[in-house]
Amino acid sequence: MRNLVSKIIGDRYKITNIIGVGGMAVVYKATDITNGNIVALKVLKQEFFDDEQFRARFENESRAIAMLSHENIVKIYDVGLSEELYYIVMEYVDGITLKQYIEQQGVITWREAICFTAQILSALGHAHEMGVVHRDIKPQNIMLLGNGSIRVTDFGIARISTNNTNTMSEKAIGSVHYISPEQVSGNKADYRSDIYATGVILYEMLTGVTPFDAESPVSVDLMQLQSAPKTPREINPEIPQGLEEITLKAMNKRPDLRYQSSEEMLADIEKFKKDPSISFEYKYFIDDNPTKYIDAIKTAKTEKS
């Protein structure tokens, strides 16, 4: 990996320091020398520069974010492509990830949790309205600012639903602890897949743990498909029943039994905020025929080998 610190990229952006390293890109803090603004530069790693799939994923992120304009979604300012570099210039967010905050706090108060969740849903509602499905919602991709506001980031595997050609294979992409059952089984992800991941994040904020965990990613995938999680109130009895019901409805293994939109889930959160003693009487559903999911896992593993 080349050291770009102190370099000027695109005759405009002077790199200050590295602020993050991901699987396919390095994120730098930089100064726009034309106006003095601080920005973040996401630069595709050199080893992936000639990889068509990674380039497609990187291009897709820039297209997806460029379509969006929302206070809870990181802003994109510029995209650069040369023979040596491929980069996206984004809003610099001075904060920490929601994952870091959860790890620091252990358990987040339910009032804070619904505040963050409402912002995530607001961002997703805008993205979905614009035809963009994120498909990798997780606390590592959510930045928390000092004033309590959040920014959703990393649309690298987003799918633009208005385009008939998927940007990447639908095969189990996303992060195993937050991925929806339909993504694990290789089915098409839609807006409700983002709802599922949001429910998992809410669960984690309220309890301090993810609903499913195991030694291997494949084991977590199987749990996503087959297992019922402990209810949040089993782990943290101080969680109000209505909020537990909202969480588990969002996490339903069947997409048709989840919230069908961000707005629908937000509406229940608003009802809960007005009356924390409310009960929605939602029931958590488990598929009674998991064999097809086991077969899907075996097929995916065979294809990878």
Side-chain angles (χ1 to χ4, degrees), residues 278-296:
I278 193 171
S279 174
F280 298 97
E281 298 184 359
Y282 295 143
K283 303 299 180 186
Y284 187 80
F285 179 88
I286 296 295
D287 197 315
D288 58 2
N289 183 22
T291 306
K292 61 179 179 179
Y293 298 130
I294 297 173
D295 291 342

mmCIF file with all atom_site columns, all heavy atoms in Angstrom, residues 278-296:
data_model
loop_
_atom_site.group_PDB
_atom_site.id
_atom_site.type_symbol
_atom_site.label_atom_id
_atom_site.label_alt_id
_atom_site.label_comp_id
_atom_site.label_asym_id
_atom_site.label_entity_id
_atom_site.label_seq_id
_atom_site.pdbx_PDB_ins_code
_atom_site.Cartn_x
_atom_site.Cartn_y
_atom_site.Cartn_z
_atom_site.occupancy
_atom_site.B_iso_or_equiv
_atom_site.pdbx_formal_charge
_atom_site.auth_seq_id
_atom_site.auth_comp_id
_atom_site.auth_asym_id
_atom_site.auth_atom_id
_atom_site.pdbx_PDB_model_num
ATOM 1   N N   . ILE A 1 278 ? -46.828 0.985   25.901 1.00 0.00 ? 278 ILE A N   1
ATOM 2   C CA  . ILE A 1 278 ? -47.639 0.399   24.842 1.00 0.00 ? 278 ILE A CA  1
ATOM 3   C C   . ILE A 1 278 ? -47.208 -1.028  24.541 1.00 0.00 ? 278 ILE A C   1
ATOM 4   O O   . ILE A 1 278 ? -46.040 -1.391  24.683 1.00 0.00 ? 278 ILE A O   1
ATOM 5   C CB  . ILE A 1 278 ? -47.536 1.268   23.551 1.00 0.00 ? 278 ILE A CB  1
ATOM 6   C CG1 . ILE A 1 278 ? -48.599 0.866   22.530 1.00 0.00 ? 278 ILE A CG1 1
ATOM 7   C CG2 . ILE A 1 278 ? -46.143 1.162   22.932 1.00 0.00 ? 278 ILE A CG2 1
ATOM 8   C CD1 . ILE A 1 278 ? -48.686 1.810   21.332 1.00 0.00 ? 278 ILE A CD1 1
ATOM 9   N N   . SER A 1 279 ? -48.177 -1.864  24.139 1.00 0.00 ? 279 SER A N   1
ATOM 10  C CA  . SER A 1 279 ? -47.895 -3.220  23.685 1.00 0.00 ? 279 SER A CA  1
ATOM 11  C C   . SER A 1 279 ? -48.529 -3.399  22.309 1.00 0.00 ? 279 SER A C   1
ATOM 12  O O   . SER A 1 279 ? -49.714 -3.106  22.122 1.00 0.00 ? 279 SER A O   1
ATOM 13  C CB  . SER A 1 279 ? -48.450 -4.262  24.661 1.00 0.00 ? 279 SER A CB  1
ATOM 14  O OG  . SER A 1 279 ? -48.279 -5.568  24.134 1.00 0.00 ? 279 SER A OG  1
ATOM 15  N N   . PHE A 1 280 ? -47.728 -3.849  21.348 1.00 0.00 ? 280 PHE A N   1
ATOM 16  C CA  . PHE A 1 280 ? -48.233 -4.032  19.982 1.00 0.00 ? 280 PHE A CA  1
ATOM 17  C C   . PHE A 1 280 ? -48.740 -5.451  19.739 1.00 0.00 ? 280 PHE A C   1
ATOM 18  O O   . PHE A 1 280 ? -49.398 -5.718  18.743 1.00 0.00 ? 280 PHE A O   1
ATOM 19  C CB  . PHE A 1 280 ? -47.122 -3.719  18.971 1.00 0.00 ? 280 PHE A CB  1
ATOM 20  C CG  . PHE A 1 280 ? -46.626 -2.302  19.038 1.00 0.00 ? 280 PHE A CG  1
ATOM 21  C CD1 . PHE A 1 280 ? -45.485 -1.988  19.765 1.00 0.00 ? 280 PHE A CD1 1
ATOM 22  C CD2 . PHE A 1 280 ? -47.290 -1.283  18.381 1.00 0.00 ? 280 PHE A CD2 1
ATOM 23  C CE1 . PHE A 1 280 ? -45.013 -0.689  19.828 1.00 0.00 ? 280 PHE A CE1 1
ATOM 24  C CE2 . PHE A 1 280 ? -46.828 0.017   18.430 1.00 0.00 ? 280 PHE A CE2 1
ATOM 25  C CZ  . PHE A 1 280 ? -45.695 0.319   19.152 1.00 0.00 ? 280 PHE A CZ  1
ATOM 26  N N   . GLU A 1 281 ? -48.367 -6.363  20.639 1.00 0.00 ? 281 GLU A N   1
ATOM 27  C CA  . GLU A 1 281 ? -48.772 -7.765  20.545 1.00 0.00 ? 281 GLU A CA  1
ATOM 28  C C   . GLU A 1 281 ? -48.290 -8.414  19.247 1.00 0.00 ? 281 GLU A C   1
ATOM 29  O O   . GLU A 1 281 ? -48.961 -9.246  18.639 1.00 0.00 ? 281 GLU A O   1
ATOM 30  C CB  . GLU A 1 281 ? -50.291 -7.908  20.690 1.00 0.00 ? 281 GLU A CB  1
ATOM 31  C CG  . GLU A 1 281 ? -50.790 -7.421  22.040 1.00 0.00 ? 281 GLU A CG  1
ATOM 32  C CD  . GLU A 1 281 ? -52.278 -7.652  22.249 1.00 0.00 ? 281 GLU A CD  1
ATOM 33  O OE1 . GLU A 1 281 ? -52.929 -8.187  21.325 1.00 0.00 ? 281 GLU A OE1 1
ATOM 34  O OE2 . GLU A 1 281 ? -52.785 -7.307  23.322 1.00 0.00 ? 281 GLU A OE2 1
ATOM 35  N N   . TYR A 1 282 ? -47.084 -8.039  18.810 1.00 0.00 ? 282 TYR A N   1
ATOM 36  C CA  . TYR A 1 282 ? -46.466 -8.692  17.657 1.00 0.00 ? 282 TYR A CA  1
ATOM 37  C C   . TYR A 1 282 ? -45.866 -10.026 18.107 1.00 0.00 ? 282 TYR A C   1
ATOM 38  O O   . TYR A 1 282 ? -45.374 -10.156 19.218 1.00 0.00 ? 282 TYR A O   1
ATOM 39  C CB  . TYR A 1 282 ? -45.349 -7.826  17.070 1.00 0.00 ? 282 TYR A CB  1
ATOM 40  C CG  . TYR A 1 282 ? -45.816 -6.522  16.476 1.00 0.00 ? 282 TYR A CG  1
ATOM 41  C CD1 . TYR A 1 282 ? -45.055 -5.370  16.613 1.00 0.00 ? 282 TYR A CD1 1
ATOM 42  C CD2 . TYR A 1 282 ? -47.015 -6.428  15.779 1.00 0.00 ? 282 TYR A CD2 1
ATOM 43  C CE1 . TYR A 1 282 ? -45.459 -4.160  16.070 1.00 0.00 ? 282 TYR A CE1 1
ATOM 44  C CE2 . TYR A 1 282 ? -47.441 -5.228  15.234 1.00 0.00 ? 282 TYR A CE2 1
ATOM 45  C CZ  . TYR A 1 282 ? -46.654 -4.097  15.377 1.00 0.00 ? 282 TYR A CZ  1
ATOM 46  O OH  . TYR A 1 282 ? -47.077 -2.911  14.838 1.00 0.00 ? 282 TYR A OH  1
ATOM 47  N N   . LYS A 1 283 ? -45.865 -10.968 17.225 1.00 0.00 ? 283 LYS A N   1
ATOM 48  C CA  . LYS A 1 283 ? -45.293 -12.279 17.505 1.00 0.00 ? 283 LYS A CA  1
ATOM 49  C C   . LYS A 1 283 ? -44.109 -12.529 16.582 1.00 0.00 ? 283 LYS A C   1
ATOM 50  O O   . LYS A 1 283 ? -44.136 -12.177 15.410 1.00 0.00 ? 283 LYS A O   1
ATOM 51  C CB  . LYS A 1 283 ? -46.327 -13.392 17.305 1.00 0.00 ? 283 LYS A CB  1
ATOM 52  C CG  . LYS A 1 283 ? -47.591 -13.214 18.153 1.00 0.00 ? 283 LYS A CG  1
ATOM 53  C CD  . LYS A 1 283 ? -47.276 -13.210 19.644 1.00 0.00 ? 283 LYS A CD  1
ATOM 54  C CE  . LYS A 1 283 ? -48.552 -13.028 20.464 1.00 0.00 ? 283 LYS A CE  1
ATOM 55  N NZ  . LYS A 1 283 ? -48.256 -12.876 21.895 1.00 0.00 ? 283 LYS A NZ  1
ATOM 56  N N   . TYR A 1 284 ? -43.067 -13.169 17.126 1.00 0.00 ? 284 TYR A N   1
ATOM 57  C CA  . TYR A 1 284 ? -41.874 -13.490 16.335 1.00 0.00 ? 284 TYR A CA  1
ATOM 58  C C   . TYR A 1 284 ? -42.075 -14.823 15.654 1.00 0.00 ? 284 TYR A C   1
ATOM 59  O O   . TYR A 1 284 ? -42.433 -15.802 16.291 1.00 0.00 ? 284 TYR A O   1
ATOM 60  C CB  . TYR A 1 284 ? -40.634 -13.532 17.234 1.00 0.00 ? 284 TYR A CB  1
ATOM 61  C CG  . TYR A 1 284 ? -39.342 -13.686 16.478 1.00 0.00 ? 284 TYR A CG  1
ATOM 62  C CD1 . TYR A 1 284 ? -38.743 -12.583 15.866 1.00 0.00 ? 284 TYR A CD1 1
ATOM 63  C CD2 . TYR A 1 284 ? -38.714 -14.919 16.373 1.00 0.00 ? 284 TYR A CD2 1
ATOM 64  C CE1 . TYR A 1 284 ? -37.550 -12.714 15.163 1.00 0.00 ? 284 TYR A CE1 1
ATOM 65  C CE2 . TYR A 1 284 ? -37.530 -15.063 15.676 1.00 0.00 ? 284 TYR A CE2 1
ATOM 66  C CZ  . TYR A 1 284 ? -36.951 -13.954 15.077 1.00 0.00 ? 284 TYR A CZ  1
ATOM 67  O OH  . TYR A 1 284 ? -35.782 -14.077 14.381 1.00 0.00 ? 284 TYR A OH  1
ATOM 68  N N   . PHE A 1 285 ? -41.855 -14.876 14.357 1.00 0.00 ? 285 PHE A N   1
ATOM 69  C CA  . PHE A 1 285 ? -42.118 -16.070 13.565 1.00 0.00 ? 285 PHE A CA  1
ATOM 70  C C   . PHE A 1 285 ? -40.819 -16.789 13.217 1.00 0.00 ? 285 PHE A C   1
ATOM 71  O O   . PHE A 1 285 ? -39.846 -16.165 12.820 1.00 0.00 ? 285 PHE A O   1
ATOM 72  C CB  . PHE A 1 285 ? -42.843 -15.679 12.272 1.00 0.00 ? 285 PHE A CB  1
ATOM 73  C CG  . PHE A 1 285 ? -43.149 -16.841 11.356 1.00 0.00 ? 285 PHE A CG  1
ATOM 74  C CD1 . PHE A 1 285 ? -44.314 -17.566 11.501 1.00 0.00 ? 285 PHE A CD1 1
ATOM 75  C CD2 . PHE A 1 285 ? -42.257 -17.179 10.349 1.00 0.00 ? 285 PHE A CD2 1
ATOM 76  C CE1 . PHE A 1 285 ? -44.586 -18.630 10.651 1.00 0.00 ? 285 PHE A CE1 1
ATOM 77  C CE2 . PHE A 1 285 ? -42.532 -18.238 9.499  1.00 0.00 ? 285 PHE A CE2 1
ATOM 78  C CZ  . PHE A 1 285 ? -43.697 -18.966 9.649  1.00 0.00 ? 285 PHE A CZ  1
ATOM 79  N N   . ILE A 1 286 ? -40.810 -18.113 13.350 1.00 0.00 ? 286 ILE A N   1
ATOM 80  C CA  . ILE A 1 286 ? -39.673 -18.936 12.935 1.00 0.00 ? 286 ILE A CA  1
ATOM 81  C C   . ILE A 1 286 ? -40.138 -19.868 11.823 1.00 0.00 ? 286 ILE A C   1
ATOM 82  O O   . ILE A 1 286 ? -41.160 -20.544 11.950 1.00 0.00 ? 286 ILE A O   1
ATOM 83  C CB  . ILE A 1 286 ? -39.126 -19.782 14.112 1.00 0.00 ? 286 ILE A CB  1
ATOM 84  C CG1 . ILE A 1 286 ? -38.578 -18.873 15.195 1.00 0.00 ? 286 ILE A CG1 1
ATOM 85  C CG2 . ILE A 1 286 ? -38.040 -20.732 13.630 1.00 0.00 ? 286 ILE A CG2 1
ATOM 86  C CD1 . ILE A 1 286 ? -37.380 -18.064 14.783 1.00 0.00 ? 286 ILE A CD1 1
ATOM 87  N N   . ASP A 1 287 ? -39.391 -19.915 10.737 1.00 0.00 ? 287 ASP A N   1
ATOM 88  C CA  . ASP A 1 287 ? -39.740 -20.803 9.629  1.00 0.00 ? 287 ASP A CA  1
ATOM 89  C C   . ASP A 1 287 ? -39.687 -22.244 10.104 1.00 0.00 ? 287 ASP A C   1
ATOM 90  O O   . ASP A 1 287 ? -38.709 -22.681 10.691 1.00 0.00 ? 287 ASP A O   1
ATOM 91  C CB  . ASP A 1 287 ? -38.739 -20.600 8.475  1.00 0.00 ? 287 ASP A CB  1
ATOM 92  C CG  . ASP A 1 287 ? -39.278 -21.166 7.166  1.00 0.00 ? 287 ASP A CG  1
ATOM 93  O OD1 . ASP A 1 287 ? -39.809 -22.292 7.197  1.00 0.00 ? 287 ASP A OD1 1
ATOM 94  O OD2 . ASP A 1 287 ? -39.154 -20.479 6.141  1.00 0.00 ? 287 ASP A OD2 1
ATOM 95  N N   . ASP A 1 288 ? -40.780 -22.980 9.861  1.00 0.00 ? 288 ASP A N   1
ATOM 96  C CA  . ASP A 1 288 ? -40.825 -24.364 10.331 1.00 0.00 ? 288 ASP A CA  1
ATOM 97  C C   . ASP A 1 288 ? -40.267 -25.346 9.296  1.00 0.00 ? 288 ASP A C   1
ATOM 98  O O   . ASP A 1 288 ? -40.372 -26.556 9.468  1.00 0.00 ? 288 ASP A O   1
ATOM 99  C CB  . ASP A 1 288 ? -42.265 -24.752 10.695 1.00 0.00 ? 288 ASP A CB  1
ATOM 100 C CG  . ASP A 1 288 ? -43.223 -24.599 9.510  1.00 0.00 ? 288 ASP A CG  1
ATOM 101 O OD1 . ASP A 1 288 ? -42.755 -24.225 8.404  1.00 0.00 ? 288 ASP A OD1 1
ATOM 102 O OD2 . ASP A 1 288 ? -44.422 -24.841 9.700  1.00 0.00 ? 288 ASP A OD2 1
ATOM 103 N N   . ASN A 1 289 ? -39.677 -24.826 8.232  1.00 0.00 ? 289 ASN A N   1
ATOM 104 C CA  . ASN A 1 289 ? -39.086 -25.698 7.223  1.00 0.00 ? 289 ASN A CA  1
ATOM 105 C C   . ASN A 1 289 ? -37.734 -25.136 6.804  1.00 0.00 ? 289 ASN A C   1
ATOM 106 O O   . ASN A 1 289 ? -37.597 -24.584 5.709  1.00 0.00 ? 289 ASN A O   1
ATOM 107 C CB  . ASN A 1 289 ? -40.020 -25.809 6.014  1.00 0.00 ? 289 ASN A CB  1
ATOM 108 C CG  . ASN A 1 289 ? -39.487 -26.773 4.965  1.00 0.00 ? 289 ASN A CG  1
ATOM 109 O OD1 . ASN A 1 289 ? -38.677 -27.640 5.288  1.00 0.00 ? 289 ASN A OD1 1
ATOM 110 N ND2 . ASN A 1 289 ? -39.920 -26.614 3.730  1.00 0.00 ? 289 ASN A ND2 1
ATOM 111 N N   . PRO A 1 290 ? -36.710 -25.293 7.669  1.00 0.00 ? 290 PRO A N   1
ATOM 112 C CA  . PRO A 1 290 ? -35.422 -24.681 7.379  1.00 0.00 ? 290 PRO A CA  1
ATOM 113 C C   . PRO A 1 290 ? -34.553 -25.457 6.397  1.00 0.00 ? 290 PRO A C   1
ATOM 114 O O   . PRO A 1 290 ? -33.468 -25.027 6.062  1.00 0.00 ? 290 PRO A O   1
ATOM 115 C CB  . PRO A 1 290 ? -34.757 -24.649 8.762  1.00 0.00 ? 290 PRO A CB  1
ATOM 116 C CG  . PRO A 1 290 ? -35.290 -25.855 9.454  1.00 0.00 ? 290 PRO A CG  1
ATOM 117 C CD  . PRO A 1 290 ? -36.724 -25.999 8.960  1.00 0.00 ? 290 PRO A CD  1
ATOM 118 N N   . THR A 1 291 ? -35.039 -26.617 5.931  1.00 0.00 ? 291 THR A N   1
ATOM 119 C CA  . THR A 1 291 ? -34.198 -27.465 5.078  1.00 0.00 ? 291 THR A CA  1
ATOM 120 C C   . THR A 1 291 ? -33.695 -26.718 3.861  1.00 0.00 ? 291 THR A C   1
ATOM 121 O O   . THR A 1 291 ? -32.531 -26.844 3.462  1.00 0.00 ? 291 THR A O   1
ATOM 122 C CB  . THR A 1 291 ? -34.988 -28.713 4.629  1.00 0.00 ? 291 THR A CB  1
ATOM 123 O OG1 . THR A 1 291 ? -35.501 -29.362 5.785  1.00 0.00 ? 291 THR A OG1 1
ATOM 124 C CG2 . THR A 1 291 ? -34.092 -29.659 3.853  1.00 0.00 ? 291 THR A CG2 1
ATOM 125 N N   . LYS A 1 292 ? -34.556 -25.919 3.227  1.00 0.00 ? 292 LYS A N   1
ATOM 126 C CA  . LYS A 1 292 ? -34.157 -25.214 2.008  1.00 0.00 ? 292 LYS A CA  1
ATOM 127 C C   . LYS A 1 292 ? -33.009 -24.254 2.302  1.00 0.00 ? 292 LYS A C   1
ATOM 128 O O   . LYS A 1 292 ? -32.173 -23.991 1.440  1.00 0.00 ? 292 LYS A O   1
ATOM 129 C CB  . LYS A 1 292 ? -35.340 -24.452 1.419  1.00 0.00 ? 292 LYS A CB  1
ATOM 130 C CG  . LYS A 1 292 ? -35.936 -23.382 2.317  1.00 0.00 ? 292 LYS A CG  1
ATOM 131 C CD  . LYS A 1 292 ? -37.089 -22.665 1.623  1.00 0.00 ? 292 LYS A CD  1
ATOM 132 C CE  . LYS A 1 292 ? -37.689 -21.605 2.531  1.00 0.00 ? 292 LYS A CE  1
ATOM 133 N NZ  . LYS A 1 292 ? -38.797 -20.873 1.878  1.00 0.00 ? 292 LYS A NZ  1
ATOM 134 N N   . TYR A 1 293 ? -32.973 -23.734 3.528  1.00 0.00 ? 293 TYR A N   1
ATOM 135 C CA  . TYR A 1 293 ? -31.898 -22.808 3.884  1.00 0.00 ? 293 TYR A CA  1
ATOM 136 C C   . TYR A 1 293 ? -30.588 -23.564 4.081  1.00 0.00 ? 293 TYR A C   1
ATOM 137 O O   . TYR A 1 293 ? -29.528 -23.098 3.684  1.00 0.00 ? 293 TYR A O   1
ATOM 138 C CB  . TYR A 1 293 ? -32.259 -22.037 5.151  1.00 0.00 ? 293 TYR A CB  1
ATOM 139 C CG  . TYR A 1 293 ? -33.487 -21.173 5.007  1.00 0.00 ? 293 TYR A CG  1
ATOM 140 C CD1 . TYR A 1 293 ? -34.509 -21.224 5.938  1.00 0.00 ? 293 TYR A CD1 1
ATOM 141 C CD2 . TYR A 1 293 ? -33.616 -20.294 3.940  1.00 0.00 ? 293 TYR A CD2 1
ATOM 142 C CE1 . TYR A 1 293 ? -35.631 -20.429 5.809  1.00 0.00 ? 293 TYR A CE1 1
ATOM 143 C CE2 . TYR A 1 293 ? -34.732 -19.500 3.800  1.00 0.00 ? 293 TYR A CE2 1
ATOM 144 C CZ  . TYR A 1 293 ? -35.742 -19.563 4.741  1.00 0.00 ? 293 TYR A CZ  1
ATOM 145 O OH  . TYR A 1 293 ? -36.843 -18.770 4.613  1.00 0.00 ? 293 TYR A OH  1
ATOM 146 N N   . ILE A 1 294 ? -30.674 -24.731 4.691  1.00 0.00 ? 294 ILE A N   1
ATOM 147 C CA  . ILE A 1 294 ? -29.475 -25.550 4.864  1.00 0.00 ? 294 ILE A CA  1
ATOM 148 C C   . ILE A 1 294 ? -28.910 -25.914 3.497  1.00 0.00 ? 294 ILE A C   1
ATOM 149 O O   . ILE A 1 294 ? -27.703 -25.851 3.262  1.00 0.00 ? 294 ILE A O   1
ATOM 150 C CB  . ILE A 1 294 ? -29.803 -26.820 5.679  1.00 0.00 ? 294 ILE A CB  1
ATOM 151 C CG1 . ILE A 1 294 ? -30.274 -26.437 7.099  1.00 0.00 ? 294 ILE A CG1 1
ATOM 152 C CG2 . ILE A 1 294 ? -28.591 -27.741 5.758  1.00 0.00 ? 294 ILE A CG2 1
ATOM 153 C CD1 . ILE A 1 294 ? -30.771 -27.597 7.916  1.00 0.00 ? 294 ILE A CD1 1
ATOM 154 N N   . ASP A 1 295 ? -29.795 -26.274 2.570  1.00 0.00 ? 295 ASP A N   1
ATOM 155 C CA  . ASP A 1 295 ? -29.359 -26.602 1.215  1.00 0.00 ? 295 ASP A CA  1
ATOM 156 C C   . ASP A 1 295 ? -28.705 -25.400 0.550  1.00 0.00 ? 295 ASP A C   1
ATOM 157 O O   . ASP A 1 295 ? -27.713 -25.538 -0.181 1.00 0.00 ? 295 ASP A O   1
ATOM 158 C CB  . ASP A 1 295 ? -30.546 -27.061 0.372  1.00 0.00 ? 295 ASP A CB  1
ATOM 159 C CG  . ASP A 1 295 ? -31.077 -28.420 0.816  1.00 0.00 ? 295 ASP A CG  1
ATOM 160 O OD1 . ASP A 1 295 ? -30.332 -29.135 1.517  1.00 0.00 ? 295 ASP A OD1 1
ATOM 161 O OD2 . ASP A 1 295 ? -32.225 -28.752 0.481  1.00 0.00 ? 295 ASP A OD2 1
ATOM 162 N N   . ALA A 1 296 ? -29.256 -24.218 0.796  1.00 0.00 ? 296 ALA A N   1
ATOM 163 C CA  . ALA A 1 296 ? -28.694 -23.001 0.205  1.00 0.00 ? 296 ALA A CA  1
ATOM 164 C C   . ALA A 1 296 ? -27.284 -22.744 0.722  1.00 0.00 ? 296 ALA A C   1
ATOM 165 O O   . ALA A 1 296 ? -26.390 -22.350 -0.034 1.00 0.00 ? 296 ALA A O   1
ATOM 166 C CB  . ALA A 1 296 ? -29.596 -21.800 0.511  1.00 0.00 ? 296 ALA A CB  1
#
